[in-house]
Amino acid sequence: MSTSPISCYIENVTTRRSGVLLEHALVLDSLGAPIRHRQKTHSADWDEVEDFCRSVYMRYRVRPLDRLSLPDATMISAKAGCVTMTRFAYGTGIHLDRFDPDAGNILVLNTLRGALDHQTDGGSIATAAGESFVVDCSRAEYWLEGDPDHMQLNLTIPHQAMVDTAERWFGFVPDDRLWTSRVKIGGPNSAWPALLDYATRALTRAGEVSSDAVLVRHIEEMLCVELLRQWASAAGLSLETGARCAAPGYVRAAEEIMEAEAREAPSIGDVAKRVGVSARTLSGGFQKFRGISPRAFLVARRLDGFRRDLETLPANVTVTVIAADWGFSNFGALAGRYRERFGETPSQTRGRVARRVRPH
């Protein structure tokens, strides 16, 4: 009888438990008290488990390795902004495939115990306790197989959220060399499980999952940025220097102009003229080397500058005055774009300034 890749992997890998960090993730809070979850957290019904998985991951096909087995599933979820965190296990061996690309989701599968076998180019790779695997199901085909003892702390992140994070932090959007890479990341002694441990502990205090907008946004941003770093490193790509250095001089010069003059909102035609190219060439260069339009780049810089003023100007300066100073006349549209980028409204950002200076 042939031996499965997962069995071989378990037999040949020294036992490495991630329990020191993540054993009680989303089960106990930071003080060791049980976390109260509003939804059902266990099930032996395939339909219930399927409904949960579709709500937190996406549509896909599941086949039990033992055709007659029933699940003994753990189903716990928590949100950190756009990031859905799930403590999950089927409680039986399974094979999953046909992940829906139209859902637009990235999966980060972090194994707490047992093992998974993941599809990669030309074969598969296994993850045991403390190891993680990332796949963008909107860009790459994927299947996985889990042994009966698997337990996961998984993340579901919209592809677009990672695109926005890359543009915001690294100044460009990676191409499909990153998004199609299905790779193992982290490891038992790496920063990644330590960050997951911090995130789950910080989100769960006093027996509840936190709804504090600032904390949630903080955790969301850290997870997305570190995931980009880990993913790019495993894929052999550079986020800090690769695409920015490769971009032609006119793109970099245009970026400098738009960053310096964001408040004045120069027209793209004017910027193109000043760097010596046509507006069409400038747009093509941004799309090729940054993955966004020059207009989107300028809008992002204007929102960043607006946010800095919200956080730093004296508390008696109103949001409306700051918005007008940046040339924003449609406050409703501004608030929508701002919330999409930063996870809160301008008034919420401004409110923190007022609380800092309020006398006690």
Side-chain angles (χ1 to χ4, degrees), residues 108-139:
V108 190
L109 301 111
N110 309 286
T111 301
L112 303 184
R113 64 171 180 260
L116 299 183
D117 194 40
H118 309 265
Q119 180 185 10
T120 58
D121 293 337
S124 64
I125 190 170
T127 53
E131 298 179 324
S132 303
F133 189 88
V134 57
V135 55
D136 186 343
C137 293
S138 73
R139 298 295 189 274

Side-chain angles (χ1 to χ4, degrees), residues 79-260:
K79 294 282 287 186
C82 70
V83 179
T84 302
M85 310 177 72
T86 48
R87 185 184 182 96
F88 181 75
Y90 277 97
T92 188
I94 44 82
H95 180 95
L96 312 181
D97 59 12
R98 299 184 183 178
F99 288 81
D100 180 13
D102 293 335
N105 286 334
I106 293 166
L107 294 181
V108 190
L109 301 111
N110 309 286
T111 301
L112 303 184
R113 64 171 180 260
L116 299 183
D117 194 40
H118 309 265
Q119 180 185 10
T120 58
D121 293 337
S124 64
I125 190 170
T127 53
E131 298 179 324
S132 303
F133 189 88
V134 57
V135 55
D136 186 343
C137 293
S138 73
R139 298 295 189 274
E141 291 187 356
Y142 178 58
W143 58 257
L144 71 85
E145 192 165 288
D147 73 8
D149 297 323
H150 71 272
M151 177 66 73
Q152 302 295 124
L153 180 70
N154 298 328
L155 308 182
T156 309
I157 307 174
H159 172 88
Q160 188 59 47
M162 293 294 283
V163 165
D164 294 342
T165 301
E167 191 278 326
R168 187 163 58 249
W169 281 84
F170 301 103
F172 76 104
V173 178
D175 58 28
D176 275 354
R177 288 176 297 171
L178 178 68
W179 309 124
T180 59
S181 295
R182 299 165 294 190
V183 292
K184 184 188 291 190
I185 65 170
N189 299 312
S190 74
W192 180 246
L195 176 58
L196 293 176
D197 181 67
Y198 165 76
T200 56
R201 288 174 186 266
L203 277 176
T204 52
R205 296 176 178 173
E208 297 282 357
V209 177
S210 176
S211 59
D212 181 271
V214 175
L215 174 65
V216 166
R217 178 62 178 168
H218 163 66
I219 291 173
E220 173 194 48
E221 196 82 347
M222 285 198 306
L223 289 172
C224 290
V225 172
E226 183 61 20
L227 175 57
L228 278 169
R229 293 180 63 253
Q230 296 267 350
W231 193 355
S233 177
L237 302 173
S238 172
L239 293 174
E240 286 77 10
T241 60
R244 181 170 287 275
C245 291
Y250 68 82
V251 170
R252 287 179 276 121
E255 287 178 326
E256 292 175 3
I257 291 172
M258 289 188 284
E259 286 175 351

